Amino acid sequence: MEQKQTFFITGMTCAACAAHVEQAALGVPGVKTAAVNLLQNKLAVTVTEDFNAQALHHAIAAAGYGVAAPAKRAGAREEISLKKRFWLSVAFLLPLLYVSMGPMWGIVPAQVVQNPAVFAGVQFMLALPVLWLNRAFFTRGGKLLVAGAPNMDSLVALGSGAAFISGVWTLVQILQRGQSLQSLYFESSAMILTLVTLGKWLEARAKGKTTAAVAALVSLVPQEALRLENGKEVRIPAEQVRPEDRLVVRAGSRIAADGVVVSGSGAVDESALTGESVPVEKAPGARVAAGTVNTAGYFEMRALHTGADTALAAIIKLVEDANTSKAPIARLADKVSAVFVPVVLGLALCTLAGWLVAGASFEVALQRFIAVLVIACPCALGLATPTAIMVGTGVGARRGILIKSAAALECAGRVSCVVFDKTGTLTENTPQVTDVALAPGEKPGRFWQVCASVESPSQHPFAQAVVSAAARQGEKPSPVEQFEIIPGGGVRARQNGRWIFGASEAFAARQATLPPALKTQADTWAGQGKTPFWIGEETRILGVLALSAPLRPSAREAVQILQQMGLKVCLLTGDNARTAHAVAQQAAIQTVYAGVLPQGKEEILRRLQHQGETVAMVGDGINDAPALARADVGLAVAAGTDVALESADIVLVRGDLRTVPAALQLSRAVLGNIRQNLFWAFFYNVLGIPLAAGVFYPLCGWQLNPMFAAAAMSASSVFVLSNALRLRFFKPVFYPAGEKNMQKIMKVDGMMCMHCAGRVENALTALDGVKAVKVNLSAKQVTITLVREVPDDALKEAVEKAGYRVEEIA
């Protein structure tokens, strides 16, 4: 049996490190797959039963790295350490630059310049502390170089070390032979290390921002809870809450467990889980989720799920799993990263030898050798994909779009056809019995008693609607001896030795002759978008019901957006053709596949794929498992926090179907961002390495100083991270283009940070008619783009419910 395990790896600094760790892990018996997340320093492995964790530890150690328990706030500590190292390095670098370059402007005392030993010795003394402060490059890089697995630290150590050693050799010549002043490289050595450290610091800051979404989810877990014990409130650590505990939730408190309200009421902010910013009213019997906040009111609840079993814990795990997985688009970068550093070392040596053979001085050849070593950047390649995926999955989680893997995220960006299930997906998940017609001579009491008995064992929404209708008629279910579900047909049960059934027209017609009058009535209902449901006993029809679930309010708009994105949209249902076409017409869908059994749905999707379509299946995540599995991307539309996490590649927590195009738009944005990052990473190295090697010098006179090469190398990683961080401002297009846009300007008091801006944006975006929201924090101003008139009071109420005050609306 296979299982997934995650390990925290120490000592990784670049994509080459990630490649070495993955190769070491794959060499351990029992490890089937291995993927490193360079941002989080995590190794995710899929292992079999013969896996031994100790063997993995030894293999990682042999590769030059370590396995440790994840340290809390490790990223923050790294950022502080790098910041300190950088500024201390600058403290020595500035006087070093003053001494080494001052003679060009005549600002260095003549006594220093005229004495070569003093001039070189001062530079040596100022450069030495910079090397000591940044000795980690030499210890890590040298260790891995000796182990035959060099990384970026090895390149930096070789480049900076070569410059420093060259300067020391010159200093020795001056002291021994009294030679006149020659070129020194102390400032180049110190500058390289300082600039690379600056890049690492900026990179660590950017990494912290990319992981902020997961950190924000983790921070939702409350620390304490109020438990009722013998009628008294006792404050306990949240981890001590157990199922069936009675908890008190006051206004402003964060809920510590998934559960159900037993008394009182409140307004709960569920935006952290669903992306819906408007608080939801909770009364006795309502479900509540861990991590959400009671904004107003007081209630008592019974805990149902605690700790790792809560919906919040499942969402956190899902987002983390997505971040540790790899997208197929990253394979080329992985292959390049695995051989990148050895190739660069070879190119640097060829550069040194080539310029010496060409007759250049050792000084020129050494400069270009160093420049090649320090300009090469495997980090940009390694960060290109995981940064975009981490930011994208975090943005999705905040909007109620839970993406289970990087592969699903990439595939969703290539979708060309979207297939919707009908019942519970395009329509609401709460159908009602709207019409009834009995067969001639049948008694209502017997009819409703059969309805209740045959449908009560089923959990299908239609079955529950029929049982509820029977209860309103005063009929309760009677015990049945045998119960069967007919896939795509309905249900039947054995009662008092006789078969009773509730089924579709096709199944009912095989059991009995349909009365013509009822058949005509059923056809009429089907034409109205209702679903006829036949009730019978043995070979006799007792009557027919009409069930109707209203179209979700967002269905038509979601379909229009998908079509404007250039996607083919289909409806796939087991319902009869007349009902299916009526619903499709309401939703503006042209292609309909009706009367399809569950196994037939899988075949329809297979056929679309053979036609060259990349298919996304949208279902309720429970009844559509085969179709969701067959689709290239399965999207499960859930309601609230009742998330079917196991059934689809992407889970849409909110019932708003506009999150379907939003999910695909997010995937396209992430995929585009990855392509940009990979292009930049490859382009930078393909252009930068030849430039540093002096390839363009004979043609154009272009050459690169090692110090500028170090700055460029650091800038490349920061650029890739910054480009990925742009995804934080992703906003889906919720309304079809071509509508008349109006704008309103709102002054909002109380907004202090990007989190505040996000809350205001989410609160306003949730309103029907709001197309776009742009927040200017410094001016405390919000620009709202509308596609239809929205009352000022509604805009004001939405912002105030989010916790901010509206000063004026213009």
Side-chain angles (χ1 to χ4, degrees):
M1 183 178 176
E2 294 182 4
Q3 60 174 323
K4 290 185 177 181
Q5 294 189 23
T6 303
F7 298 89
F8 186 77
I9 308 299
T10 60
M12 294 192 301
T13 59
C14 68
C17 298
H20 296 149
V21 170
E22 287 177 0
Q23 289 172 357
L26 288 171
V28 176
V31 176
K32 295 197 68 176
T33 65
V36 166
N37 184 316
L38 192 59
L39 282 171
Q40 297 179 309
N41 292 324
K42 287 182 179 178
L43 167 66
V45 293
T46 304
V47 299
T48 57
E49 293 178 356
D50 57 341
F51 169 71
N52 185 297
Q54 200 61 40
L56 178 69
H57 287 221
H58 289 315
I60 299 298
Y65 306 90
V67 181
K72 291 184 178 180
R73 302 291 295 161
R77 289 204 302 270
E78 180 190 16
E79 182 183 337
I80 293 170
S81 174
L82 287 167
K83 178 181 178 181
K84 182 179 179 181
R85 270 172 51 191
F86 169 70
W87 286 114
L88 286 173
S89 298
V90 168
F92 290 99
L93 177 64
L94 290 178
L96 173 58
L97 293 175
Y98 166 76
V99 173
S100 62
M101 298 183 178
M104 292 187 292
W105 293 283
I107 57 175
V108 177
Q111 301 93 309
V112 175
V113 178
Q114 293 170 2
N115 189 326
V118 172
F119 189 69
V122 169
Q123 293 185 52
F124 170 78
M125 295 300 294
L126 289 170
L128 196 60
V130 179
L131 267 72
W132 173 254
L133 287 167
N134 297 282
R135 60 191 180 278
F137 289 113
F138 298 93
T139 55
R140 285 197 303 256
K143 179 181 177 182
L144 292 171
L145 186 63
V146 172
N151 68 346
M152 193 202 74
D153 286 350
S154 306
L155 298 180
V156 173
L158 283 172
S160 176
F164 185 78
I165 290 171
S166 175
V168 170
W169 175 254
T170 301
L171 175 60
V172 170
Q173 297 297 310
I174 292 173
L175 293 175
Q176 287 184 345
R177 305 177 186 177
Q179 292 181 348
S180 59
L181 188 63
Q182 300 180 29
S183 296
L184 296 167
Y185 290 95
F186 291 126
E187 80 283 358
S188 294
S189 176
M191 179 70 86
I192 289 169
L193 292 173
T194 303
L195 288 174
V196 173
T197 300
L198 172 62
K200 287 287 184 183
W201 172 32
L202 297 176
E203 186 179 307
R205 290 184 62 187
K207 283 182 179 179
K209 293 179 182 178
T210 62
T211 58
V214 176
L217 285 173
V218 173
S219 69
L220 295 177
V221 180
Q223 300 299 310
E224 296 180 324
L226 283 176
R227 182 167 64 192
L228 280 177
E229 297 180 2
N230 300 320
K232 295 182 179 180
E233 296 179 9
V234 179
R235 191 173 297 277
I236 62 171
E239 60 266 21
Q240 293 183 11
V241 176
R242 296 292 179 263
E244 301 303 320
D245 280 355
R246 190 80 169 251
L247 305 179
V248 171
V249 183
R250 301 182 182 279
S253 298
R254 196 173 291 278
I255 298 169
D258 290 356
V260 60
V261 177
V262 294
S263 66
S265 63
V268 176
D269 179 1
E270 298 180 338
S271 59
L273 299 185
T274 67
E276 179 60 67
S277 59
V278 180
V280 180
E281 296 296 329
K282 300 292 183 180
R287 291 292 188 99
V288 290
T292 58
V293 179
N294 180 24
T295 60
Y298 168 96
F299 60 85
E300 295 177 9
M301 61 172 283
R302 178 167 55 90
L304 297 177
H305 304 290
T306 63
D309 297 326
T310 64
L312 175 62
I315 290 172
I316 292 172
K317 184 177 185 303
L318 188 150
V319 174
E320 288 181 337
D321 287 348
N323 289 334
T324 55
S325 63
K326 285 201 172 184
I329 196 172
R331 288 172 185 161
L332 177 60
D334 287 346
K335 291 178 181 177
V336 172
S337 298
V339 298
F340 187 89
V341 175
V343 168
V344 170
L345 283 173
L347 290 174
L349 291 172
C350 289
T351 299
L352 178 66
W355 281 102
L356 290 175
V357 170
S361 66
F362 179 76
E363 178 182 343
V364 170
L366 181 64
Q367 274 193 341
R368 287 169 185 162
F369 168 77
I370 296 170
V372 170
L373 288 175
V374 298
I375 199 171
C377 187
C379 288
L381 286 171
L383 294 170
T385 301
T387 50
I389 288 171
M390 180 163 282
V391 177
T393 52
V395 168
R398 290 201 304 271
R399 293 186 174 273
I401 302 168
L402 306 181
I403 302 163
K404 295 180 70 172
S405 70
L409 184 67
E410 178 180 337
C411 190
R414 295 186 279 104
V415 163
S416 60
C417 177
V418 180
V419 179
F420 283 94
D421 173 52
K422 182 180 76 70
T423 306
T425 302
L426 273 180
T427 62
E428 297 284 4
N429 204 28
T430 54
Q432 300 290 328
V433 174
T434 59
D435 303 277
V436 181
L438 300 183
E442 295 299 332
K443 295 179 180 180
R446 174 58 180 162
F447 172 81
W448 287 112
Q449 204 284 322
V450 170
C451 286
S453 300
V454 75
E455 296 295 339
S456 61
S458 173
Q459 296 301 311
H460 193 281
F462 275 8
Q464 299 304 305
V466 172
V467 172
S468 297
R472 289 194 295 270
Q473 300 299 321
E475 296 294 339
K476 296 181 179 179
S478 298
V480 295
E481 300 146 11
Q482 187 177 345
F483 176 78
E484 295 179 5
I485 296 175
I486 304 107
V491 294
R492 68 174 184 168
R494 197 169 183 85
Q495 187 180 57
N496 300 324
R498 299 174 64 83
W499 284 102
I500 55 178
F501 60 85
S504 65
E505 182 176 304
F507 180 82
R510 294 198 297 269
Q511 305 300 308
T513 302
L514 305 182
L518 296 189
K519 177 69 169 64
T520 301
Q521 183 63 69
D523 289 344
T524 301
W525 292 336
Q528 298 169 355
K530 301 175 182 179
T531 301
F533 199 67
W534 296 79
I535 305 297
E537 181 179 25
E538 292 289 336
T539 59
R540 183 165 55 94
I541 297 296
L542 302 180
V544 62
L545 302 166
L547 292 113
S548 176
L551 198 70
R552 289 183 188 261
S554 55
R556 186 178 181 89
E557 193 170 350
V559 170
Q560 288 177 334
I561 297 171
L562 290 169
Q563 290 169 340
Q564 290 199 340
M565 289 170 63
L567 304 178
K568 179 181 180 180
V569 182
C570 307
L571 173 62
L572 178 60
T573 179
D575 217 332
N576 66 77
R578 290 175 64 89
T579 301
H581 280 91
V583 172
Q585 186 176 7
Q586 295 174 36
I589 296 175
Q590 282 76 44
T591 305
V592 179
Y593 301 96
V596 184
L597 299 177
Q599 60 269 29
K601 291 184 178 182
E602 194 262 357
E603 180 56 38
I604 294 291
L605 296 185
R606 191 193 302 269
R607 190 191 312 165
L608 288 169
Q609 290 169 333
H610 286 169
Q611 293 170 3
E613 304 284 2
T614 301
V615 182
M617 174 70 192
V618 186
D620 60 18
I622 300 171
N623 302 317
D624 303 301
L628 289 169
R630 163 51 56 186
D632 295 289
V633 182
L635 294 94
V637 179
T641 59
D642 185 17
V643 183
L645 292 176
E646 299 301 323
S647 60
D649 302 300
I650 299 176
V651 178
L652 308 176
V653 180
R654 295 164 60 183
D656 189 340
L657 287 181
R658 292 178 300 178
T659 53
V660 174
L664 301 184
Q665 290 170 18
L666 174 62
S667 300
R668 288 183 176 185
V670 172
L671 197 57
N673 194 276
I674 290 173
R675 290 192 181 113
Q676 292 166 8
N677 287 346
L678 288 174
F679 170 79
W680 167 256
F682 279 112
F683 174 78
Y684 164 83
N685 284 292
V686 167
L687 180 64
I689 292 175
L691 179 63
V695 170
F696 302 109
Y697 182 74
L699 300 174
C700 316
W702 295 351
Q703 57 183 335
L704 196 63
N705 184 286
M707 291 184 286
F708 289 108
M713 186 273 283
S714 299
S716 67
S717 294
V718 175
F719 176 87
V720 166
L721 285 161
S722 301
N723 188 49
L725 286 170
R726 290 191 306 109
L727 288 169
R728 292 188 301 168
F729 306 105
F730 165 81
K731 183 172 178 58
V733 178
F734 272 172
Y735 291 87
E739 298 187 49
K740 184 178 179 181
N741 293 333
M742 301 169 282
Q743 281 196 342
K744 290 189 177 183
I745 308 297
M746 177 187 292
K747 284 282 188 179
V748 179
D749 186 40
M751 295 190 300
M752 305 297 294
C753 61
M754 290 301 296
H755 175 70
C756 301
R759 285 181 61 85
V760 171
E761 180 183 332
N762 290 337
L764 291 169
T765 303
L767 296 176
D768 186 34
V770 176
K771 178 180 180 180
V773 177
K774 184 176 181 181
V775 179
N776 185 329
L777 270 178
S778 59
K780 308 294 184 184
Q781 180 175 296
V782 180
T783 303
I784 310 165
T785 303
L786 306 168
V787 293
R788 59 183 67 92
E789 186 61 41
V790 178
D792 289 354
D793 288 345
L795 297 172
K796 183 177 179 182
E797 181 181 2
V799 172
E800 290 180 345
K801 280 188 176 181
Y804 306 94
R805 187 171 66 85
V806 177
E807 294 182 344
E808 62 175 314
I809 300 178

